[in-house]
Amino acid sequence: MGGVGKTTLLKRIYKSLLDDANMGFNHVLFIEASKGIQLEELRKRISESLQLQRAGKEGIFNVLKISNFVLLLDNICEEVDLISLGIPHPYSDDNSTKQCYKHKVIFTTRSEDVCAKMGAGEKTIKVECLGSNDSWDLFRDNVNLDVIVSNEEFKKIARQVMGECSGLPLALKVIGKAMSNKKSIPEWNFVLRSLKSSSTRVVGMEESLFPILKFSYDNLPDNIRECFLFALMLRRISKYELSECWMGLGLIGDFVDLPEAFDKAEYILKILEESCLLYVSNDGRVHFHDVIHEMAKWIATDCGMNRNKWIVKDYHVSTEISTIDTENWRFAKLVIMGHIKLLPILSHRCSDLLCLFIKSSFDLQRIPEGFFLQMPNLIFLDLSLSDVKELPKDIKCLFNLQYLNVSSTAISSLPKELVYLNKLQYLLCGDTKLSKVKDGLLSRLHKLRVIDLHPTGWVEPKELQMLKKHNNIKAIGMRVVSQEVFQQLSYLPTTGLYIQKLDNLISLSYDTLSCKNHGFLQELTIDSCLQLKELVLNGSETHLNNLTISNVEKL
């Protein structure tokens, strides 16, 4: 079952194989295979682990057939065709893979049927929940041990709380962490009564755990609960992108500048990590246990009573959405859709809809005219990572919109109708085909806080002057096309600059590229500045992540 420790066990095996060179394996591959994942994505992950450039089936096969390897596949939900992945089969007719090399595959799954279909036969191990003594040891590792061993009454109640976790390691860790700040017997008694009464509400092996695990969610401060739910719905997102979303949704609260906002987001992530509700990997991506994800969906739908409140659907392959598919949108507050090819014109009003994410829809080229007419209360719209070429005129009907993200799309201009979005605070157009933005468009949006036009979009110096007068711009990124633009940007908090063909630029100092009090320059590109001789990266607080210099011969 979920949360019993399959992944933990597989990671222990992975680490022991890496640590023990005597095992003699050339490649030890750990691959996460989440629900609905396609063979192509699995091949991509295997290629990356083998440090191959997007190798196909044959490329993977040619490397592994002459190697000793172990492939660890975690959390497969259905049969995986290993041959189609490029994994040499030890019992194939190909003599080159017989006897000479050690080829091993270990996988975890929740399904005995998958074990049978994969041909695991008798080589299966059912991972059981912990016995009483092991449960107590794990629970004690996660609570405030000094409290529960202070007297026998405390220890007795703590053992009863532990018992409600039914030996499931995930529940023991999550509840243990949630109880670590409870220091009185009445508090522990209250929690015990809550867990006992809630555990009877839901039937089913894993579903029955949701009310137990929900205690950890209930233990969070109100604003962090919302942050947790949105993070879960957005899955497989970087902590930087997640922080941006939290800002756009107003969950971070007010902030003086972008560094302060990111610090707040980091603080929230730390609390959620310490509660064992998520973890951030070394590459900065946010991860969740499957059972925690399912629990969050259950909470978001009013404990399963209102399943259309939050709609999350990733089709994995490009799909045309029909009007029937959007029927439930009329009851939804949040809709997240992935891999959409075509959108319908909605035939019904979606008055409750506040947040709409249409992400990773690389074949979606247009938003139909009239699509936005039916969602008057929308505050958050994310169309990033699609092939949308323009925004329809009816976007002006989104009077309440506060966040608009069209990053990494094919958009080349912003419609003049955006001036009607009086509440817009975040306008993210990074990595698009934008050039000059219409004069007067941005300066008429008086509530704008974050503007990202980087690297191709830009505005005239006069527009920048007017934006500066608003006094609430927290971040701006854009192309620098003239010395005048350069000069005006030095008074604004810049996050990304693309400086190109400034012939009079001889010396450039980092601390002049953003206003000194609130600067947060993260990305700097200098291209074809033929007279530039000196670049000084000074400044006590440097947040620069990417620096690209090209065609600067005199530097």
Side-chain angles (χ1 to χ4, degrees):
M1 64 183 294
V4 79
K6 300 183 298 297
T7 299
T8 300
L9 180 58
L10 203 63
K11 284 181 176 177
R12 288 283 181 93
I13 294 170
Y14 176 57
K15 187 175 184 303
S16 70
L17 288 170
L18 289 179
D19 291 345
D20 189 352
N22 295 327
M23 293 292 287
F25 288 105
N26 307 110
H27 301 290
V28 182
L29 312 173
F30 186 97
I31 307 295
E32 292 184 32
S34 53
K35 188 175 182 180
I37 195 168
Q38 304 294 302
L39 273 176
E40 185 181 349
E41 178 62 25
L42 283 176
R43 279 195 215 102
K44 178 186 170 188
R45 294 182 186 182
I46 293 170
S47 296
E48 289 171 353
S49 295
L50 292 171
Q51 297 182 325
L52 300 173
Q53 293 295 318
R54 294 301 298 270
K57 168 185 169 183
E58 290 78 14
I60 294 170
F61 179 82
N62 289 334
V63 170
L64 293 182
K65 73 178 182 180
I66 55 172
S67 306
N68 295 323
F69 73 85
V70 182
L71 172 63
L72 306 167
L73 273 175
D74 188 32
N75 199 24
I76 64 175
C77 300
E78 54 193 30
E79 180 185 2
V80 174
D81 186 343
L82 297 175
I83 302 299
S84 295
L85 276 182
I87 307 302
H89 198 289
Y91 307 117
S92 67
D93 294 329
D94 185 351
N95 289 325
S96 66
T97 66
K98 278 191 175 180
Q99 303 302 323
C100 306
Y101 298 100
K102 292 192 286 187
H103 296 167
K104 302 289 182 184
V105 177
I106 306 174
F107 65 87
T108 66
T109 180
R110 296 190 196 181
S111 166
E112 288 187 34
D113 186 48
V114 169
C115 293
K117 287 178 178 177
M118 291 286 289
E122 295 178 359
K123 298 177 182 178
T124 60
I125 302 169
K126 185 173 182 180
V127 186
E128 305 278 7
C129 288
L130 300 178
S132 179
N133 291 336
D134 288 331
S135 292
W136 181 240
D137 288 342
L138 182 58
F139 188 70
R140 292 197 327 165
D141 285 344
N142 287 278
V143 297
N144 188 332
L145 189 58
D146 291 340
V147 170
I148 62 173
V149 298
S150 58
N151 66 55
E152 285 303 312
E153 181 68 15
F154 241 130
K155 193 182 291 186
K156 180 182 175 184
I157 300 169
R159 278 195 171 273
Q160 288 178 283
V161 170
M162 176 208 77
E164 292 300 316
C165 298
S166 305
L168 187 76
L170 179 66
L172 290 162
K173 282 181 68 177
V174 170
I175 298 301
K177 286 290 184 186
M179 295 302 298
S180 61
N181 63 343
K182 303 288 186 286
K183 298 178 181 178
S184 70
I185 287 178
E187 283 180 300
W188 277 73
N189 271 324
F190 174 77
V191 170
L192 180 58
R193 284 194 298 271
S194 299
L195 294 177
K196 282 185 172 179
S197 62
S198 65
S199 62
T200 58
R201 291 181 198 160
V202 185
V203 294
M205 187 187 290
E206 284 167 16
E207 290 85 349
S208 64
L209 290 166
F210 295 165
I212 304 292
L213 295 172
K214 183 177 178 288
F215 170 72
S216 186
Y217 166 84
D218 293 335
N219 208 41
L220 297 169
D222 287 348
N223 67 312
I224 296 182
R225 286 185 209 168
E226 282 197 82
C227 290
F228 168 70
L229 290 181
F230 273 101
L232 264 292
M233 296 307 121
L234 292 168
R235 286 190 104 175
R236 300 183 199 93
I237 193 171
S238 75
K239 67 176 183 178
Y240 180 84
E241 293 171 306
L242 180 58
S243 300
E244 276 191 340
C245 286
W246 282 347
M247 281 182 242
L249 290 161
L251 299 178
I252 296 288
D254 200 15
F255 51 89
V256 174
D257 52 28
L258 222 51
E260 183 187 340
F262 281 111
D263 285 347
K264 284 185 176 182
E266 197 75 46
Y267 169 74
I268 292 169
L269 281 169
K270 192 71 178 170
I271 288 175
L272 293 173
E273 272 199 280
E274 288 172 352
S275 303
C276 294
L277 293 173
L278 59 76
Y279 71 94
V280 180
S281 56
N282 292 333
D283 62 358
R285 300 198 78 77
V286 181
H287 302 265
F288 310 91
H289 193 286
D290 283 356
V291 174
I292 297 292
H293 181 253
E294 292 301 318
M295 177 201 67
K297 286 202 295 187
W298 178 73
I299 292 170
T301 55
D302 298 334
C303 300
M305 302 299 291
N306 184 2
R307 295 194 177 276
N308 294 319
K309 186 177 177 181
W310 291 40
I311 298 173
V312 182
K313 182 77 174 175
D314 192 335
Y315 289 95
H316 297 291
V317 293
S318 288
T319 305
E320 295 184 11
I321 300 293
S322 67
T323 306
I324 296 171
D325 292 325
T326 62
E327 182 64 30
N328 290 332
W329 289 23
R330 69 171 77 227
F331 309 110
K333 286 193 173 181
L334 172 142
V335 172
I336 301 176
M337 309 292 271
H339 295 91
I340 307 301
K341 187 176 183 180
L342 203 62
L343 286 166
I345 296 176
L346 299 174
S347 60
H348 47 269
R349 205 156 180 80
C350 306
S351 300
D352 293 336
L353 190 59
L354 300 178
C355 304
L356 176 62
F357 296 77
I358 300 177
K359 296 175 70 69
S360 303
S361 296
F362 306 108
D363 293 323
L364 180 66
Q365 297 189 356
R366 60 182 293 272
I367 306 293
E369 199 71 47
F371 181 75
F372 294 127
L373 290 174
Q374 303 287 23
M375 43 189 83
N377 295 313
L378 201 68
I379 62 170
F380 190 104
L381 176 60
D382 189 337
L383 301 171
S384 60
L385 292 169
S386 67
D387 199 33
V388 171
K389 292 177 169 52
E390 63 179 0
L391 293 169
K393 291 183 173 63
D394 62 288
I395 197 167
K396 68 181 182 182
C397 300
L398 302 180
F399 303 116
N400 294 300
L401 198 67
Q402 297 175 26
Y403 178 101
L404 175 60
N405 189 347
V406 292
S407 300
S408 302
T409 63
I411 281 176
S412 58
S413 65
L414 295 174
K416 63 181 187 295
E417 286 77 13
L418 281 188
V419 296
Y420 294 100
L421 308 184
N422 295 322
K423 296 182 181 179
L424 194 65
Q425 297 181 33
Y426 296 81
L427 179 60
L428 307 181
C429 312
D431 295 311
T432 60
K433 297 181 179 179
L434 270 181
S435 53
K436 182 186 171 186
V437 177
K438 294 180 179 69
D439 290 341
L441 178 58
L442 300 187
S443 58
R444 289 170 69 184
L445 296 169
H446 295 289
K447 293 199 173 178
L448 273 179
R449 307 175 87 189
V450 176
I451 305 167
D452 182 13
L453 310 174
H454 183 268
T456 58
W458 59 282
V459 295
E460 293 282 10
K462 192 179 291 185
E463 189 86 343
L464 290 171
Q465 262 185 319
M466 297 178 76
L467 284 170
K468 187 181 132 194
K469 287 178 183 176
H470 291 176
N471 205 32
N472 57 347
I473 300 294
K474 308 296 185 185
I476 184 167
M478 57 178 273
R479 178 182 289 261
V480 180
V481 295
S482 69
Q483 289 283 3
E484 292 77 18
V485 168
F486 204 1
Q487 187 178 355
Q488 291 301 325
L489 281 170
S490 67
Y491 299 107
L492 289 163
T494 54
T495 53
L497 293 179
Y498 193 106
I499 303 170
Q500 187 180 45
K501 295 181 180 177
L502 290 192
D503 294 335
N504 298 325
L505 190 63
I506 297 171
S507 178
L508 188 60
S509 179
Y510 176 85
D511 65 357
T512 64
L513 297 178
S514 189
C515 71
K516 290 184 180 178
N517 294 333
H518 307 303
F520 195 64
L521 186 63
Q522 296 172 293
E523 192 156 355
L524 174 61
T525 301
I526 303 168
D527 179 29
S528 302
C529 295
L530 302 181
Q531 302 304 315
L532 184 65
K533 292 182 179 179
E534 184 180 62
L535 172 62
V536 183
L537 287 175
N538 53 352
S540 58
E541 292 194 24
T542 301
H543 302 280
L544 203 61
N545 292 329
N546 297 303
L547 173 63
T548 307
I549 303 172
S550 56
N551 302 318
V552 188
E553 295 174 4
K554 292 187 179 181
L555 187 65

